[in-house]
Amino acid sequence: MGHVDHGKTSLLDAIRQSNVMDTEIGAYHVELESGSVVFLDTPGHAAFTAMRARGAQVTDIVVLVVAADDGVMPQTVEALNHAKAAGVPILVVLNKMDVESARPDHVKRQLAEYDLVPEEWGGQTIFVEISAKERIGIEELLEMLLLEAELLELSANPNKPARGTVAEAKLDKGRGPVATVLVQNGTLRVGDVFVAGRYNGKVRAMINDRGHHVKNAPPSTPVEVLGFTGVPEAGDQFFVVGSERDAKALSEFRQAQHRATQLGPQSRVSLEELFQQIQEGDIKELNIIVKGDVQGSVEAVFDSLQRLSADEVKINVIHQAVGGITETDVLLASASNAIVVGFNVHPTTGALIAKENEDIDVRTYSVIYDLISDVRSAMEGLLEPEVREVVVGRGIVRELFRTPRMGTIAGSYVNWGRIIRNYALRVLRDNRLVYEGQVDSLRHFKEDVTEVQANYECGIGVSTFDDFKVDDVLECYTHERIPRLLK
């Protein structure tokens, strides 16, 4: 894991001595004299978070790649927070040591602030200095990985039915449901009957990370498996069973369970139910992700939240950063059963969709006191949520038109939900609030309409605002009264 352009792909290329871009399997197997290592690539961290969210400890060690000339960047912090949330040990690789501007000690000091202290400084984190481009330090890295694996006592028995984890899955037009499976124990063979998540199947074919068809896959082997009855999810447990009848019965039972879970109440933590969960002993720690418009705001919110920790529940800020609330933030919240709070920033469209899918409590504030007051009241059981903002749709401004009656009309494309006339509207520029008002005029072509659905174009007019810009995000919202959930 690591920041963009810090050398993750180059490192994999150097380890395998081939072009990793040639394969789409996403997991790479390296056989060494003293053991095997499988590298799982995590672009965007989405697969890693999804695995963690479903309770699958597919990753034994996180290799955090940091460019020695660039240092700690936003995605570096995101990556190490994902690893900490998963409870997985971290090995740091300082890449690009061949460039003149490399400052390894500076990067070590930066990472020490995040509790990744090098062993030579008295800490417990292994640091390896390499150059993926010049292929320097690769052997030492592999040795350190195998040493760490030995200390963690990572081992597997090949002489038993296979068990593993789904790393990626997709629906292929020509081949049907296909999944990359990491075999973690036992040996997987062509013809084996299996269950993975809610689906079952029979191994029709297996393809390794080099594109070769194989008949069997021992432990620590990633293979693309064909033969699923449906597309499993990243992080689903995969295991071989004795008969097709047993596999089908278990699959049907799990699908029924899944339907019941989807229809039943969700168990995510929310501020409304926090006090009740504290009283019942379900919550000992409230995980929070903080996003803000500037670093000073983020630090102020962080300090205020830290002071709220009490005997009954500890406030744990697992990630803090400047910028809008992103899909990655929501996925990390899902993985860590956290809530997301934003100060003077708002969620992206991807974050709103993920929030609904993952059922995560995302809150935005423009006054720090309100944010702190809400969390304190929730901890004390005094929160009285009477009104909640509900975002109903998002649009993006594509063109601007001038009219005598309404001034500037925003020619917009609705990319999520729906825009409704007379509903509240806010204008966001770079995820920051520019204006709040309401939709006074809404037209689809030349026709006045009451609402416009996603994937349609419309003209939006606001009588008290005409400073629209192309690429502005228009967020349509309303307020709903929510009954008090606490007893």
Side-chain angles (χ1 to χ4, degrees), residues 30-58:
V30 179
E31 194 70 44
L32 304 166
E33 284 184 16
S34 49
S36 296
V37 184
V38 172
F39 291 90
L40 177 67
D41 201 5
T42 56
H45 320 314
F48 184 86
T49 319
M51 290 171 191
R52 170 66 184 120
R54 293 171 180 86
Q57 287 290 0
V58 66

Coordinates of all heavy atoms in Angstrom, one line a residue, residues 30-58:
V30 N 5.5 -15.2 -5.3 CA 6.9 -15.3 -5.5 C 7.4 -16.5 -4.7 O 7.1 -16.6 -3.5 CB 7.6 -14.0 -5.0 CG1 9.1 -14.1 -5.1 CG2 7.1 -12.8 -5.8
E31 N 8.1 -17.4 -5.3 CA 8.7 -18.6 -4.6 C 10.1 -18.4 -4.3 O 10.9 -18.0 -5.2 CB 8.5 -19.8 -5.6 CG 8.7 -21.2 -4.9 CD 7.6 -21.5 -3.9 OE1 6.4 -21.3 -4.2 OE2 7.9 -21.9 -2.8
L32 N 10.5 -18.5 -3.1 CA 11.9 -18.3 -2.6 C 12.4 -19.6 -2.0 O 11.6 -20.5 -1.7 CB 12.0 -17.1 -1.6 CG 11.4 -15.8 -2.1 CD1 11.2 -14.8 -0.9 CD2 12.3 -15.2 -3.1
E33 N 13.7 -19.6 -1.8 CA 14.3 -20.8 -1.2 C 13.7 -21.1 0.2 O 13.5 -22.3 0.6 CB 15.8 -20.6 -1.1 CG 16.6 -20.8 -2.4 CD 18.1 -20.7 -2.3 OE1 18.5 -20.9 -1.1 OE2 18.8 -20.5 -3.3
S34 N 13.5 -20.1 1.0 CA 13.1 -20.3 2.4 C 11.5 -20.1 2.5 O 11.1 -20.1 3.7 CB 13.8 -19.3 3.3 OG 13.7 -18.0 2.8
G35 N 10.8 -19.9 1.5 CA 9.3 -19.8 1.6 C 8.7 -19.1 0.5 O 9.3 -18.7 -0.5
S36 N 7.4 -19.0 0.6 CA 6.6 -18.3 -0.5 C 6.0 -17.0 0.0 O 5.6 -16.9 1.2 CB 5.4 -19.2 -0.9 OG 5.9 -20.4 -1.5
V37 N 5.9 -16.0 -0.8 CA 5.3 -14.7 -0.5 C 4.2 -14.4 -1.6 O 4.6 -14.5 -2.8 CB 6.3 -13.6 -0.4 CG1 5.6 -12.3 0.0 CG2 7.4 -13.9 0.5
V38 N 3.0 -14.0 -1.2 CA 2.0 -13.5 -2.1 C 1.8 -12.0 -1.9 O 1.6 -11.6 -0.8 CB 0.7 -14.2 -2.0 CG1 -0.4 -13.6 -2.8 CG2 0.8 -15.7 -2.4
F39 N 2.0 -11.2 -2.9 CA 1.8 -9.8 -2.8 C 0.4 -9.5 -3.4 O 0.1 -9.8 -4.5 CB 2.9 -9.0 -3.6 CG 4.2 -9.1 -3.0 CD1 5.1 -10.1 -3.4 CD2 4.6 -8.2 -2.1 CE1 6.4 -10.2 -2.8 CE2 5.9 -8.3 -1.5 CZ 6.8 -9.3 -1.8
L40 N -0.4 -8.8 -2.6 CA -1.7 -8.4 -3.0 C -1.7 -6.9 -3.2 O -1.4 -6.1 -2.3 CB -2.7 -8.7 -1.8 CG -4.2 -8.3 -2.1 CD1 -4.8 -9.1 -3.2 CD2 -4.9 -8.4 -0.8
D41 N -2.0 -6.5 -4.5 CA -2.0 -5.1 -4.8 C -3.3 -4.5 -4.4 O -4.4 -5.1 -4.6 CB -1.8 -4.9 -6.4 CG -1.3 -3.5 -6.7 OD1 -1.0 -2.8 -5.8 OD2 -1.2 -3.2 -7.9
T42 N -3.3 -3.2 -3.9 CA -4.5 -2.7 -3.4 C -4.7 -1.3 -3.9 O -4.6 -0.3 -3.2 CB -4.5 -2.6 -1.8 OG1 -3.3 -1.8 -1.4 CG2 -4.4 -3.9 -1.2
P43 N -5.0 -1.1 -5.2 CA -5.3 0.2 -5.8 C -6.5 0.9 -5.1 O -7.6 0.3 -5.0 CB -5.5 -0.1 -7.2 CG -5.9 -1.5 -7.3 CD -5.2 -2.2 -6.2
G44 N -6.3 2.1 -4.6 CA -7.4 2.8 -3.9 C -7.8 2.2 -2.6 O -8.7 2.8 -1.9
H45 N -7.2 1.1 -2.2 CA -7.5 0.5 -0.9 C -8.9 0.0 -0.7 O -9.3 -0.5 0.3 CB -7.2 1.5 0.3 CG -6.0 2.4 0.1 ND1 -4.8 1.9 -0.3 CD2 -5.8 3.7 0.2 CE1 -4.0 2.9 -0.4 NE2 -4.5 4.0 -0.1
A46 N -9.7 0.0 -1.8 CA -11.1 -0.4 -1.6 C -11.2 -1.9 -1.3 O -12.0 -2.3 -0.5 CB -11.9 -0.1 -2.9
A47 N -10.4 -2.7 -2.0 CA -10.5 -4.1 -1.8 C -10.0 -4.5 -0.4 O -10.6 -5.3 0.3 CB -9.6 -4.9 -2.8
F48 N -9.0 -3.8 0.0 CA -8.4 -4.1 1.4 C -9.5 -3.8 2.4 O -9.7 -4.5 3.4 CB -7.2 -3.2 1.6 CG -6.5 -3.5 2.9 CD1 -5.5 -4.5 3.0 CD2 -6.8 -2.7 4.0 CE1 -4.9 -4.7 4.2 CE2 -6.1 -2.9 5.2 CZ -5.2 -3.9 5.3
T49 N -10.2 -2.6 2.3 CA -11.2 -2.2 3.3 C -12.3 -3.1 3.3 O -12.9 -3.5 4.3 CB -11.6 -0.8 3.0 OG1 -10.5 0.0 2.6 CG2 -12.3 -0.2 4.2
A50 N -12.8 -3.5 2.1 CA -13.9 -4.4 1.9 C -13.6 -5.8 2.6 O -14.5 -6.3 3.3 CB -14.3 -4.7 0.5
M51 N -12.4 -6.3 2.5 CA -12.0 -7.5 3.1 C -12.1 -7.3 4.7 O -12.6 -8.2 5.4 CB -10.6 -7.9 2.8 CG -10.4 -8.3 1.3 SD -8.7 -8.5 0.9 CE -8.8 -8.7 -0.8
R52 N -11.5 -6.2 5.1 CA -11.5 -6.0 6.6 C -13.0 -5.9 7.1 O -13.3 -6.4 8.1 CB -10.8 -4.7 6.9 CG -10.9 -4.2 8.3 CD -10.3 -5.2 9.3 NE -10.5 -4.7 10.6 CZ -11.1 -5.4 11.6 NH1 -11.6 -6.6 11.3 NH2 -11.3 -4.9 12.8
A53 N -13.8 -5.2 6.3 CA -15.2 -5.0 6.7 C -16.0 -6.3 6.9 O -16.9 -6.4 7.7 CB -15.9 -4.1 5.7
R54 N -15.6 -7.3 6.1 CA -16.3 -8.6 6.2 C -15.5 -9.6 7.1 O -15.8 -10.7 7.0 CB -16.5 -9.1 4.8 CG -17.4 -8.3 4.0 CD -17.5 -8.7 2.5 NE -18.4 -7.8 1.8 CZ -18.1 -6.6 1.3 NH1 -16.8 -6.2 1.4 NH2 -19.0 -5.9 0.7
G55 N -14.6 -9.1 7.8 CA -13.9 -9.9 8.9 C -12.9 -10.9 8.3 O -12.5 -11.8 9.0
A56 N -12.4 -10.7 7.1 CA -11.5 -11.6 6.5 C -10.0 -11.1 6.7 O -9.7 -10.0 6.2 CB -11.7 -11.8 5.0
Q57 N -9.2 -11.8 7.5 CA -7.9 -11.4 7.7 C -7.0 -12.0 6.6 O -6.2 -12.9 6.9 CB -7.4 -11.8 9.1 CG -8.0 -11.0 10.2 CD -7.4 -9.6 10.2 OE1 -6.6 -9.2 9.4 NE2 -7.9 -8.7 11.1
V58 N -7.2 -11.5 5.4 CA -6.5 -12.1 4.3 C -5.0 -11.6 4.2 O -4.1 -12.3 3.8 CB -7.2 -11.8 2.9 CG1 -7.1 -10.3 2.6 CG2 -6.6 -12.6 1.8

